[in-house]
């Protein structure tokens, strides 16, 4: 059977189906150290009906289908471990509906975060989930993405009102709606958020959007050591102020950012902060934050009101992963992704530093510590068995410490290939229920096989 020819019959543009080696290779990897594997063919659908036709064909011939956004996942979610079809949604980039009075927007899955916010800015609203990279909305739904704004606005799960998804048999399923709440039946929307393409291919998303804040200030607080910075972050959250962002960058991260972005920040553990609301409340919160930081040993806050200055600060934070990758361009990024209750944050960060130092690894520690989520990041040669084994040991120790503190193995990156071993350890019998749902929606196991549940 000529799969490529058959697939070209199913789409409007025959050029939307490619078996070119370079195209296939680009769809066989992400930024993680997980081994790449090229799909047999890449399809670029331009409409839900084309996704439906591809899935019906794939189901008939038992071909694996792996949804692909922009390839920015870090747990191997887009790697087609069984070959088959990579379904690239980048042509589905239409913003279908913006309703600022209802605080919602409806978009196709290939729309990117930056594209959406450029459109929303004209209406005085924005979409807050900000994982740093310019990820696609569909991909962000698939992994339940988080980011710098999560402490104030929540994660993807909190900002998705509904999805349109195509199931393995081609059924088009629409969940949720445009009302901000509903008690009508099971919450299928949240079932698909975080499903990593294993239950269906998300084609459209209805999102909750928010009014742009009236007044914003960003600030940096520099600390004598990592524990002091983590402790101050905990106290900031426990103070009850409506802080918008609390980001931790250790001295290794700051040094990498300086080299990559041309900044000159002091190479010491630093909190990047943002405050938003009325000017009176923001200035009060900044003063409170400065007192809390000073009590933990920080110097005066370096605060910024100017929009360009704030953008430079957050560009530096968003480029942190790229900056670390630039320190060892021949290697691949390894990032842990645990999340713990905020009260356990300082101890968890200290334990992470102890673990990597015991293994003799130079690592960076950074993260969205306002909600207890942090990353231990270092570079790994995927062809070096000793380095890969050491990375696995580090990850295991950090995860198990987090679980012992009632945390999770993944705060925002998802399970993918890398966290499967810890899912049952964390969720127990709930994994059996997940497997039953998977079998019900994808009985032939064609949707992103090998991910999440193995």
């Amino acid at each position: 059977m000529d799969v490529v020819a058959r697939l070209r019959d199913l789409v409007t543009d025959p050029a939307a189906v490619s078996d070119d080696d370079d195209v296939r290779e680009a769809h066989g990897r992400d930024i993680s150290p997980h081994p790449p594997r090229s799909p047999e063919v890449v399809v670029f659908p331009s409409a839900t009906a084309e996704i439906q036709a591809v899935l019906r064909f794939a189901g008939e011939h038992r071909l694996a289908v792996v949804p692909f956004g922009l390839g920015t996942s870090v747990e191997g979610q887009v790697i087609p471990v069984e070959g088959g079809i990579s379904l690239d949604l980048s042509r589905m980039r239409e913003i279908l509906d913006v309703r600022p009075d209802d605080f919602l927007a409806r978009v196709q899955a290939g729309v990117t975060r930056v594209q959406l916010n450029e459109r929303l800015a004209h209406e005085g609203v924005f979409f807050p989930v900000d994982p740093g990279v310019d990820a696609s909305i569909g991909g962000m739904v698939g992994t339940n993405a988080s980011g710098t704004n999560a402490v104030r606005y929540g994660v993807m799960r909190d900002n998705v009102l509904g999805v349109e998804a195509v199931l393995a048999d081609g059924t088009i399923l629409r969940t949720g709606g445009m009302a901000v709440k509903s008690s009508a039946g099971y919450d299928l929307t949240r079932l698909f958020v975080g499903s990593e393409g294993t239950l269906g291919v998300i084609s459209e998303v209805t999102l909750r959007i928010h009014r742009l804040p009236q007044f914003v200030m960003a600030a940096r607080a520099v600390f004598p050591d990592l524990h002091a910075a983590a402790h101050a972050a905990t106290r900031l959250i426990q103070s009850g102020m409506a802080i918008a962002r609390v980001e931790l960058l250790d001295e290794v991260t700051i040094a990498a950012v300086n080299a990559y972005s041309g900044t000159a920040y002091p190479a010491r553990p630093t909190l990047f902060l943002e405050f938003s609301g009325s000017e009176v409340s923001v200035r009060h919160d900044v003063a409170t934050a400065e007192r809390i930081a000073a009590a933990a040993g920080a110097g005066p806050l370096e605060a910024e009101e100017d929009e360009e200055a704030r953008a430079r600060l957050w560009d530096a934070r968003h480029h942190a992963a790229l900056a670390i990758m630039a320190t060892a361009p021949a290697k691949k990024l390894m990032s842990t992704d645990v999340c713990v209750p905020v009260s356990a944050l300082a101890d968890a960060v200290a334990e992470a530093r102890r673990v990597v130092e015991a293994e003799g690894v130079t690592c960076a520690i950074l993260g969205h510590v306002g909600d207890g989520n942090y990353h231990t990041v270092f570079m790994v040669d995927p062809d070096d068995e000793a380095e890969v084994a050491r990375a696995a040991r580090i990850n295991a120790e950090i995860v198990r410490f987090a679980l012992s503190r009632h945390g999770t193995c993944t705060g925002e990156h998802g399970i993918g290939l890398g966290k499967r071993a810890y899912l049952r350890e964390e969720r127990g019998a709930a994994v059996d229920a997940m497997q039953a749902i998977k079998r019900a929606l994808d009985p032939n196991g064609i949707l992103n096989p090998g991910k999440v549940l193995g």
Side-chain angles (χ1 to χ4, degrees), residues 117 120-121 124-129 149 153 208-213:
N117 274 323
L120 295 180
V125 291
F126 80 117
F127 179 65
V129 183
N149 280 318
Y153 295 99
R208 187 190 305 271
I209 57 179
H210 300 260
R211 183 69 58 192
L212 284 165

Side-chain angles (χ1 to χ4, degrees), residues 289-302:
E290 185 159 33
R291 289 195 296 272
I292 291 171
L301 258 63
E302 297 287 337

Side-chain angles (χ1 to χ4, degrees), residues 37-223:
R37 164 73 190 271
S38 296
E40 270 68 61
V41 60
V42 181
V43 181
F44 299 82
S46 57
T48 301
E50 292 186 350
I51 298 174
Q52 182 181 45
V54 170
L55 283 176
R56 284 175 174 166
F57 174 80
E60 179 183 351
H61 298 284
R62 301 295 193 270
L63 296 173
V65 178
V66 181
F68 189 99
L70 290 176
T72 55
S73 59
V74 296
E75 288 294 354
Q77 281 94 343
V78 300
I79 298 173
V81 294
E82 294 186 8
I85 302 168
S86 178
L87 201 62
D88 185 317
L89 302 173
S90 59
R91 290 192 178 191
M92 298 182 64
R93 294 190 63 174
E94 185 177 352
I95 297 173
L96 301 166
D97 194 7
V98 173
R99 301 190 181 190
D101 291 341
D102 292 322
F103 295 101
L104 63 85
R106 187 167 61 91
V107 303
Q108 289 186 315
V111 169
T112 70
R113 175 182 64 85
V114 170
Q115 175 194 355
L116 176 58
N117 274 323
E118 286 174 350
R119 168 68 177 82
L120 295 180
H122 300 294
E123 308 287 350
V125 291
F126 80 117
F127 179 65
V129 183
D130 172 18
V133 295
D134 187 21
S136 69
I137 296 298
M140 291 168 64
V141 174
T143 57
N144 188 29
S146 179
T148 60
N149 280 318
V151 66
R152 176 89 176 253
Y153 295 99
V155 301
M156 208 64 189
R157 184 168 282 126
D158 305 305
N159 290 280
V160 176
L161 294 173
V163 302
E164 177 186 87
V166 185
L167 303 184
D169 65 357
T171 299
I172 297 174
L173 185 71
R174 293 180 178 87
T175 75
M178 293 190 176
V180 296
K181 65 179 182 179
S182 172
S183 295
Y186 298 146
D187 190 349
L188 296 180
T189 300
R190 289 199 168 202
L191 179 64
F192 279 91
V193 180
S195 63
E196 302 184 27
T198 63
L199 301 180
V201 177
I202 293 168
S203 52
E204 291 182 12
V205 187
T206 302
L207 298 165
R208 187 190 305 271
I209 57 179
H210 300 260
R211 183 69 58 192
L212 284 165
Q214 176 187 356
F215 184 74
V216 181
M217 289 185 70
R220 287 185 301 111
V222 181
F223 293 84

Side-chain angles (χ1 to χ4, degrees), residues 370-394:
D371 54 11
N373 185 201
Y374 68 93
H375 312 299
T376 305
V377 182
F378 49 97
M379 303 305 293
V380 175
D381 179 355
D383 297 322
D384 186 324
E385 292 184 6
E387 282 198 20
V388 171
R390 183 170 59 187
R393 288 195 303 271
I394 291 171

Side-chain angles (χ1 to χ4, degrees), residues 435-443:
Q435 290 171 331
I437 292 168
K438 168 70 170 172
R439 287 192 298 270
L441 296 182
D442 181 21

